[in-house]
Amino acid sequence: MDEIQRPLEAGEAGGDGPVVEVRDVHYSVHGRVIFKGLTLSAAKGKITAVMGPSGTGKTTLLRLMTAQIEADAGVINVFGRDVAQMGSQDVFAMRRRMGMLFQNSALLSDLDVFENVAFPLREHTDLTEPLIRNLVLSKLNAVGLRGAAELMPTELSGGMSRRVALARAVVMDPEVLIYDEPFVGLDPIALGMILRLIQQLNQALGITSIVVSHDVAELASIAHHSYLMADGRIVAAGTPAELARSDSPIVSQFMSGKPDGPVPFHYPAPDIVTQLLAGEGA
Amino acid sequence: MNGVLSFSLVAEALARLGRMTLFLLQLLVQCARALARPNLVVAQIYNAGGRSLVIIMLSGLFTGMVLALLGFNLLQRFGSQEALGFAAALALIKELGPVLTALLFAGRAGTALTSEIGLMNATDQLTAMKMMAVDPLRYVAAPRFLGGVIAMPLLTAIFDAVGLFGAHTIGVRMMGVDNGSFWSQMQASVGLNDVMEGVTKSLVFGFVCSLIAVYEGYHAEPTAEGVGLATTRTVVASSVLILLLDYMLIAAFL
């Protein structure tokens, strides 16, 4: 890893040290290696972007960070504690300090928008009904959907669902917000709104944000620190500007969106001429 | 080769039984907590029971009518057609009511439960709950399981009542069996033990059908095909187990 290709150190970029720290993590599924020595960290109060081509394990990384699955080797520290050493109660306590925005929003289909946002409050607090109402409406107002409080999830567009999910993710005032592909399938207006909301939540509330995505331009506009994942590890790290200046072939291919390069366009296959001729003889 | 295949099938069946037992233990722990939120359970009693009412009542009515027709034809040969009420009541309360209700429940409410939970899993709703530090076993699985267990005896009672109405309509109004004999023979011959046998069966079937439906939904592969397969497994496993347990319970009550 060269000078810009290093994980963030404690105190760097004005933060108070990493809230999430992944060290030398290895992970395989059914014999397929997903990570082989992955190392990265997310500084407190900053927006950290994790980028990479599709299928590199970005969502798997989030599942490891949130203790949904367990790494084969390596250490994942969240809020200073190793998630592998946590019991189920500790994991739930950790998750109460986190919020997560899912790629497909994951709104509860049998509850309306208001109840979806109120869900964590009803489950974890003894707040009175008027207080819950005020909190939910203020969060919905922040994402511009106060007027949609009575709609069911099936009545929402993709962008609206994402914003409701964001309101639900922040209703408990989490210390860390994790975004899984927040820009996928959004029109430019909805995308701009989500970008602005991520930035506002970070600036106004100081929420540590980890954004996993392959949308380079969008991430570059908001991230304080970026990682590029490929081949089961971090291949580049630094500020978006540093990554953009990198002359590494893989970084250059990803940042400029070239179809072929170190990350091949073709899935591994036999030579096409050989394969076609073999078909003719059959 | 066949021996290896048989061994692996038995091993897989045992492993599945073990997983289901562990799931049941976790579920029972969460049931105690779910009971503290009765509105969730009541909503699921409505989902599993209330929405099955029409199919249960229609099936009960036709079953009673068929029983009366066949019963009258058979009893008439021995000159004892007045015992029709007793025969229909015994058949409905002890056997047909619990078994047919359970089979219908597995086909309607069981599949609905499995596909609902399976789709919640496929759309990350269960993961979202876990990420909000809410155990989906408590919020999703336990209320649905309890709803099914409570709904089954109620549905069976309704099936029996409507079935008796059907038998009475055909036997008394169409076949001319004496109304007084129909009810008095039933009252004199059907005992509490018979009713308890029916209630026990419906409780056992409710427990088994709900457990299978919730388990299969919770462990369905999060794809369209996976949810479809899980739904099929729910119907097949429930139906076979209902008939197997029916035999065992009849033997136990004899």
Side-chain angles (χ1 to χ4, degrees), chain B residues 233-252:
Chain B
R233 278 198 301 272
T234 293
V235 178
V236 173
S238 300
S239 304
V240 171
L241 271 174
I242 286 164
L243 297 175
L244 173 71
L245 289 169
D246 185 43
Y247 172 78
M248 293 168 73
L249 286 167
I250 287 175

mmCIF file of all heavy atoms in Angstrom, chain B residues 233-252:
data_model
loop_
_atom_site.group_PDB
_atom_site.id
_atom_site.type_symbol
_atom_site.label_atom_id
_atom_site.label_comp_id
_atom_site.label_asym_id
_atom_site.label_seq_id
_atom_site.Cartn_x
_atom_site.Cartn_y
_atom_site.Cartn_z
ATOM 1 N N ARG B 233 -43.263 -26.817 0.913
ATOM 2 C CA ARG B 233 -42.855 -27.682 2.029
ATOM 3 C C ARG B 233 -43.817 -27.560 3.202
ATOM 4 O O ARG B 233 -44.121 -28.540 3.880
ATOM 5 C CB ARG B 233 -41.434 -27.315 2.485
ATOM 6 C CG ARG B 233 -40.333 -27.936 1.640
ATOM 7 C CD ARG B 233 -39.000 -27.918 2.386
ATOM 8 N NE ARG B 233 -38.597 -26.579 2.751
ATOM 9 C CZ ARG B 233 -37.879 -25.765 1.980
ATOM 10 N NH1 ARG B 233 -37.471 -26.183 0.805
ATOM 11 N NH2 ARG B 233 -37.557 -24.558 2.380
ATOM 12 N N THR B 234 -44.322 -26.340 3.426
ATOM 13 C CA THR B 234 -45.265 -26.130 4.530
ATOM 14 C C THR B 234 -46.510 -26.988 4.342
ATOM 15 O O THR B 234 -46.953 -27.685 5.267
ATOM 16 C CB THR B 234 -45.669 -24.636 4.597
ATOM 17 O OG1 THR B 234 -44.531 -23.884 4.975
ATOM 18 C CG2 THR B 234 -46.772 -24.404 5.600
ATOM 19 N N VAL B 235 -47.080 -26.967 3.142
ATOM 20 C CA VAL B 235 -48.315 -27.720 2.896
ATOM 21 C C VAL B 235 -48.054 -29.219 3.000
ATOM 22 O O VAL B 235 -48.801 -29.947 3.663
ATOM 23 C CB VAL B 235 -48.892 -27.375 1.505
ATOM 24 C CG1 VAL B 235 -50.141 -28.181 1.238
ATOM 25 C CG2 VAL B 235 -49.197 -25.906 1.412
ATOM 26 N N VAL B 236 -46.971 -29.667 2.357
ATOM 27 C CA VAL B 236 -46.699 -31.108 2.332
ATOM 28 C C VAL B 236 -46.413 -31.626 3.749
ATOM 29 O O VAL B 236 -47.039 -32.590 4.210
ATOM 30 C CB VAL B 236 -45.503 -31.406 1.391
ATOM 31 C CG1 VAL B 236 -45.096 -32.864 1.490
ATOM 32 C CG2 VAL B 236 -45.870 -31.055 -0.041
ATOM 33 N N ALA B 237 -45.487 -30.956 4.442
ATOM 34 C CA ALA B 237 -45.096 -31.429 5.780
ATOM 35 C C ALA B 237 -46.282 -31.352 6.743
ATOM 36 O O ALA B 237 -46.517 -32.283 7.526
ATOM 37 C CB ALA B 237 -43.929 -30.603 6.303
ATOM 38 N N SER B 238 -47.040 -30.269 6.681
ATOM 39 C CA SER B 238 -48.186 -30.126 7.591
ATOM 40 C C SER B 238 -49.210 -31.226 7.331
ATOM 41 O O SER B 238 -49.701 -31.861 8.269
ATOM 42 C CB SER B 238 -48.862 -28.760 7.410
ATOM 43 O OG SER B 238 -47.958 -27.732 7.680
ATOM 44 N N SER B 239 -49.530 -31.457 6.064
ATOM 45 C CA SER B 239 -50.571 -32.432 5.735
ATOM 46 C C SER B 239 -50.174 -33.831 6.206
ATOM 47 O O SER B 239 -50.971 -34.544 6.834
ATOM 48 C CB SER B 239 -50.821 -32.451 4.226
ATOM 49 O OG SER B 239 -51.139 -31.158 3.780
ATOM 50 N N VAL B 240 -48.935 -34.218 5.917
ATOM 51 C CA VAL B 240 -48.490 -35.561 6.313
ATOM 52 C C VAL B 240 -48.488 -35.691 7.830
ATOM 53 O O VAL B 240 -48.964 -36.684 8.389
ATOM 54 C CB VAL B 240 -47.078 -35.839 5.728
ATOM 55 C CG1 VAL B 240 -46.508 -37.123 6.289
ATOM 56 C CG2 VAL B 240 -47.144 -35.912 4.209
ATOM 57 N N LEU B 241 -47.980 -34.652 8.508
ATOM 58 C CA LEU B 241 -47.900 -34.731 9.972
ATOM 59 C C LEU B 241 -49.286 -34.734 10.615
ATOM 60 O O LEU B 241 -49.501 -35.393 11.632
ATOM 61 C CB LEU B 241 -47.073 -33.555 10.515
ATOM 62 C CG LEU B 241 -45.578 -33.835 10.603
ATOM 63 C CD1 LEU B 241 -44.824 -32.592 11.015
ATOM 64 C CD2 LEU B 241 -45.297 -34.950 11.611
ATOM 65 N N ILE B 242 -50.220 -33.996 10.017
ATOM 66 C CA ILE B 242 -51.584 -33.979 10.565
ATOM 67 C C ILE B 242 -52.150 -35.399 10.552
ATOM 68 O O ILE B 242 -52.703 -35.878 11.555
ATOM 69 C CB ILE B 242 -52.488 -33.027 9.741
ATOM 70 C CG1 ILE B 242 -52.133 -31.577 10.049
ATOM 71 C CG2 ILE B 242 -53.973 -33.272 10.043
ATOM 72 C CD1 ILE B 242 -52.686 -30.591 9.031
ATOM 73 N N LEU B 243 -51.996 -36.089 9.432
ATOM 74 C CA LEU B 243 -52.567 -37.439 9.321
ATOM 75 C C LEU B 243 -51.823 -38.423 10.222
ATOM 76 O O LEU B 243 -52.440 -39.286 10.850
ATOM 77 C CB LEU B 243 -52.537 -37.893 7.859
ATOM 78 C CG LEU B 243 -53.396 -37.009 6.939
ATOM 79 C CD1 LEU B 243 -53.236 -37.416 5.490
ATOM 80 C CD2 LEU B 243 -54.870 -37.078 7.337
ATOM 81 N N LEU B 244 -50.502 -38.276 10.311
ATOM 82 C CA LEU B 244 -49.724 -39.153 11.190
ATOM 83 C C LEU B 244 -50.112 -38.939 12.651
ATOM 84 O O LEU B 244 -50.381 -39.891 13.397
ATOM 85 C CB LEU B 244 -48.228 -38.877 10.991
ATOM 86 C CG LEU B 244 -47.281 -39.584 11.957
ATOM 87 C CD1 LEU B 244 -47.247 -41.073 11.661
ATOM 88 C CD2 LEU B 244 -45.875 -39.023 11.871
ATOM 89 N N LEU B 245 -50.165 -37.677 13.057
ATOM 90 C CA LEU B 245 -50.506 -37.366 14.449
ATOM 91 C C LEU B 245 -51.951 -37.746 14.758
ATOM 92 O O LEU B 245 -52.274 -38.127 15.886
ATOM 93 C CB LEU B 245 -50.286 -35.867 14.720
ATOM 94 C CG LEU B 245 -48.827 -35.435 14.773
ATOM 95 C CD1 LEU B 245 -48.708 -33.917 14.784
ATOM 96 C CD2 LEU B 245 -48.161 -36.009 16.029
ATOM 97 N N ASP B 246 -52.816 -37.653 13.753
ATOM 98 C CA ASP B 246 -54.209 -38.039 13.949
ATOM 99 C C ASP B 246 -54.281 -39.503 14.351
ATOM 100 O O ASP B 246 -54.979 -39.867 15.308
ATOM 101 C CB ASP B 246 -54.987 -37.792 12.654
ATOM 102 C CG ASP B 246 -56.469 -38.061 12.826
ATOM 103 O OD1 ASP B 246 -57.009 -37.648 13.877
ATOM 104 O OD2 ASP B 246 -57.073 -38.689 11.939
ATOM 105 N N TYR B 247 -53.527 -40.319 13.631
ATOM 106 C CA TYR B 247 -53.520 -41.759 13.967
ATOM 107 C C TYR B 247 -53.008 -41.955 15.398
ATOM 108 O O TYR B 247 -53.588 -42.700 16.188
ATOM 109 C CB TYR B 247 -52.628 -42.515 12.973
ATOM 110 C CG TYR B 247 -52.412 -43.943 13.371
ATOM 111 C CD1 TYR B 247 -53.404 -44.895 13.154
ATOM 112 C CD2 TYR B 247 -51.238 -44.333 14.005
ATOM 113 C CE1 TYR B 247 -53.218 -46.213 13.556
ATOM 114 C CE2 TYR B 247 -51.053 -45.642 14.411
ATOM 115 C CZ TYR B 247 -52.039 -46.576 14.183
ATOM 116 O OH TYR B 247 -51.855 -47.867 14.595
ATOM 117 N N MET B 248 -51.913 -41.274 15.734
ATOM 118 C CA MET B 248 -51.315 -41.458 17.056
ATOM 119 C C MET B 248 -52.262 -40.976 18.157
ATOM 120 O O MET B 248 -52.379 -41.592 19.220
ATOM 121 C CB MET B 248 -49.977 -40.702 17.124
ATOM 122 C CG MET B 248 -48.928 -41.319 16.209
ATOM 123 S SD MET B 248 -47.474 -40.306 15.981
ATOM 124 C CE MET B 248 -46.682 -40.504 17.549
ATOM 125 N N LEU B 249 -52.955 -39.883 17.912
ATOM 126 C CA LEU B 249 -53.855 -39.346 18.932
ATOM 127 C C LEU B 249 -55.093 -40.238 19.099
ATOM 128 O O LEU B 249 -55.576 -40.440 20.220
ATOM 129 C CB LEU B 249 -54.274 -37.923 18.568
ATOM 130 C CG LEU B 249 -53.176 -36.875 18.774
ATOM 131 C CD1 LEU B 249 -53.535 -35.560 18.113
ATOM 132 C CD2 LEU B 249 -52.933 -36.660 20.263
ATOM 133 N N ILE B 250 -55.592 -40.786 17.979
ATOM 134 C CA ILE B 250 -56.730 -41.710 18.085
ATOM 135 C C ILE B 250 -56.315 -42.908 18.933
ATOM 136 O O ILE B 250 -57.041 -43.322 19.849
ATOM 137 C CB ILE B 250 -57.184 -42.176 16.673
ATOM 138 C CG1 ILE B 250 -57.892 -41.041 15.954
ATOM 139 C CG2 ILE B 250 -58.130 -43.375 16.792
ATOM 140 C CD1 ILE B 250 -58.256 -41.365 14.519
ATOM 141 N N ALA B 251 -55.118 -43.443 18.644
ATOM 142 C CA ALA B 251 -54.633 -44.596 19.406
ATOM 143 C C ALA B 251 -54.498 -44.240 20.887
ATOM 144 O O ALA B 251 -54.819 -45.040 21.769
ATOM 145 C CB ALA B 251 -53.290 -45.049 18.839
ATOM 146 N N ALA B 252 -54.045 -43.023 21.159
ATOM 147 C CA ALA B 252 -53.863 -42.600 22.548
ATOM 148 C C ALA B 252 -55.199 -42.462 23.284
ATOM 149 O O ALA B 252 -55.296 -42.710 24.478
ATOM 150 C CB ALA B 252 -53.109 -41.285 22.592
#
